[in-house]
Amino acid sequence: MASIKLAAQSSLPVAPDSYIYSVTATTPRTDLKFDTYQPISSSDKVAAISSDDSLLLLDPSTLKVLPNGHIRGANSSLTCVKPYAPVGEQANIILTAGRDGIVKAWDLRTCRTAFTLSAPSSSRNPSAGPDAISAIDCNAETNAIAAGTELEGDGPGDVRIYIWDHRNPQQPRIAYQESHTDTITELRYLPYPSTASTILMSGSTDGLVNVFNTTIEDEDDAVLQVSNHYSAIHHTGLIGDNIYALGTDEKLSFYVQQNPDLDQPDPEPYSLGDLRDQAPCDYAMRIWNGTRPFIALGSHNLDEQGLGFFPLSPEASSATSSPRWNLNTTSGFILPGGHGEEVIRDYFIAGEMKSVYTCGEDGSVKLWVQ
């Protein structure tokens, strides 16, 4: 295992005992299919969101807060952050969303909102205000922004996926409201038919991973694929050309994408099971779908604190067999020490592991470099 050294650690002006939920950066993405980004440049910004509802814009090398880079109350009960830019372009817009039911687009040149999108009021209780937003994704190639909502109370219940054209922010272009029955935890645009993608994947704590053709308004016709992971979805996305589902119980499974011939049955999924039984870790994070995919596994016990990026390798298989990806725990990269005893909530990689940003429940952002 190769170690990546700690290069910088933030000291953020957030409320005591705040968590840093998510971290991202403005560096250009090179491909919609793969999680590959150009190396960080001095003109880039690192963005992080905190449990005290702050959006923080940081210098990418020192992690110091930039001038006007502490946006307090970005949303009420902030949950999500995503850069908004076409593939190959540096992001000038950062999206945030929260349980206030609002998506805000922050213009990084002015640190002011460029536009806002509001989820409609809950059909159960219209007087309660907009649906709380728990997940977002976007594709600037098609001006599309998608938001998934959180279930209030015990499931099953009503949750929705809203899709806006940001040029017409008054109301969503599409609302899907029957395909999930619990909180949406992941939305991902897939690279089909091109970077001008109209295919959206969703994951939920109801255990389902769905794939939609968002050019179709009728929900029954829009659903291209449904996969049942049988445990709450923590993250879902692509690994190579396959779909992965990672549960909150740390179980990982793989699925083929829907065969265009609907009469052709898809093979059963391949499950790796509980990753804690296969690697020295306490929790699993999402897969980084590069040309060489990794999964991030974290440990916060006193003996083995750190974050490891372990490669996943495919087995040769026929067109009719399940996708089989196997975990290699003897190679990869380790971030020794991680965030100490605290859980690492998110990471962002630029330049093929040249720069790795992490954030966690210790209230800090860290930069690691090879």
Side-chain angles (χ1 to χ4, degrees), residues 158-171:
D158 297 329
V159 295
R160 295 170 178 79
I161 296 171
Y162 297 113
I163 302 171
W164 289 267
D165 183 319
H166 91 260
R167 298 167 299 181
N168 298 292
Q170 292 77 16
Q171 62 182 13

Side-chain angles (χ1 to χ4, degrees), residues 244-259:
Y244 81 87
L246 175 65
T248 55
D249 57 1
E250 323 305 331
K251 292 181 179 178
L252 179 63
S253 295
F254 305 99
Y255 306 81
V256 295
Q257 294 196 56
Q258 179 72 52
N259 193 308

Side-chain angles (χ1 to χ4, degrees), residues 225 227 241-243 254-259 266-267 269 319 321-323:
Q225 181 171 354
S227 302
D241 288 314
N242 304 137
I243 293 171
F254 305 99
Y255 306 81
V256 295
Q257 294 196 56
Q258 179 72 52
N259 193 308
D266 290 321
S321 65
S322 301

Side-chain angles (χ1 to χ4, degrees), residues 181-243:
T181 58
D182 212 335
T183 297
I184 307 296
T185 55
E186 185 88 74
L187 292 172
R188 295 289 297 266
Y189 274 99
L190 304 185
Y192 313 113
S194 66
T195 55
S197 172
T198 57
I199 306 301
L200 180 69
M201 181 162 57
S202 62
S204 165
T205 52
D206 63 10
L208 299 182
V209 175
N210 295 335
V211 180
F212 300 90
N213 180 349
T214 64
T215 64
I216 300 173
E217 186 172 349
D218 182 271
E219 188 164 355
D220 289 338
D221 294 335
V223 175
L224 301 178
Q225 181 171 354
V226 179
S227 302
N228 194 341
H229 186 61
Y230 296 102
S231 68
I233 299 297
H234 181 40
H235 285 294
T236 185
L238 289 182
I239 175 168
D241 288 314
N242 304 137
I243 293 171

Side-chain angles (χ1 to χ4, degrees), residues 30-53:
T30 58
D31 189 286
L32 188 62
K33 175 180 175 180
F34 295 111
D35 298 320
T36 52
Y37 292 80
Q38 293 181 14
I40 289 284
S41 72
S42 59
S43 64
D44 280 312
K45 297 176 176 66
V46 172
I49 55 172
S50 169
S51 60
D52 73 349
D53 294 340

Side-chain angles (χ1 to χ4, degrees), residues 35-155:
D35 298 320
T36 52
Y37 292 80
Q38 293 181 14
I40 289 284
S41 72
S42 59
S43 64
D44 280 312
K45 297 176 176 66
V46 172
I49 55 172
S50 169
S51 60
D52 73 349
D53 294 340
S54 293
L55 170 62
L56 299 141
L57 305 175
L58 310 177
D59 179 279
S61 59
T62 66
L63 297 182
K64 292 181 178 180
V65 179
L66 294 167
N68 302 315
H70 184 191
I71 301 173
R72 296 172 175 83
N75 286 81
S76 177
S77 295
L78 192 57
T79 57
C80 314
V81 62
K82 282 285 177 73
Y84 185 64
V87 170
E89 295 185 17
Q90 187 182 57
N92 290 316
I93 297 285
I94 290 286
L95 302 177
T96 62
R99 293 187 177 91
D100 54 7
I102 299 173
V103 180
K104 295 183 180 180
W106 298 93
D107 188 328
L108 301 185
R109 294 160 293 194
T110 63
C111 293
R112 297 177 181 272
T113 51
F115 58 88
T116 61
L117 309 169
S118 295
S121 296
S122 169
S123 60
R124 276 186 171 182
N125 183 11
S127 64
D131 287 328
I133 293 174
S134 53
I136 60 173
D137 200 23
C138 52
N139 188 349
E141 304 276 352
T142 58
N143 305 296
I145 297 172
T149 68
E150 181 178 78
L151 179 67
E152 296 183 12
D154 297 328

Side-chain angles (χ1 to χ4, degrees), residues 19-22 235 283 285 343-347 359-361:
Y19 293 176
I20 307 300
Y21 288 140
S22 189
H235 285 294
Y283 57 94
M285 301 172 72
V343 171
I344 298 171
R345 284 296 194 104
D346 196 17
Y347 66 87
C359 66
E361 294 183 3

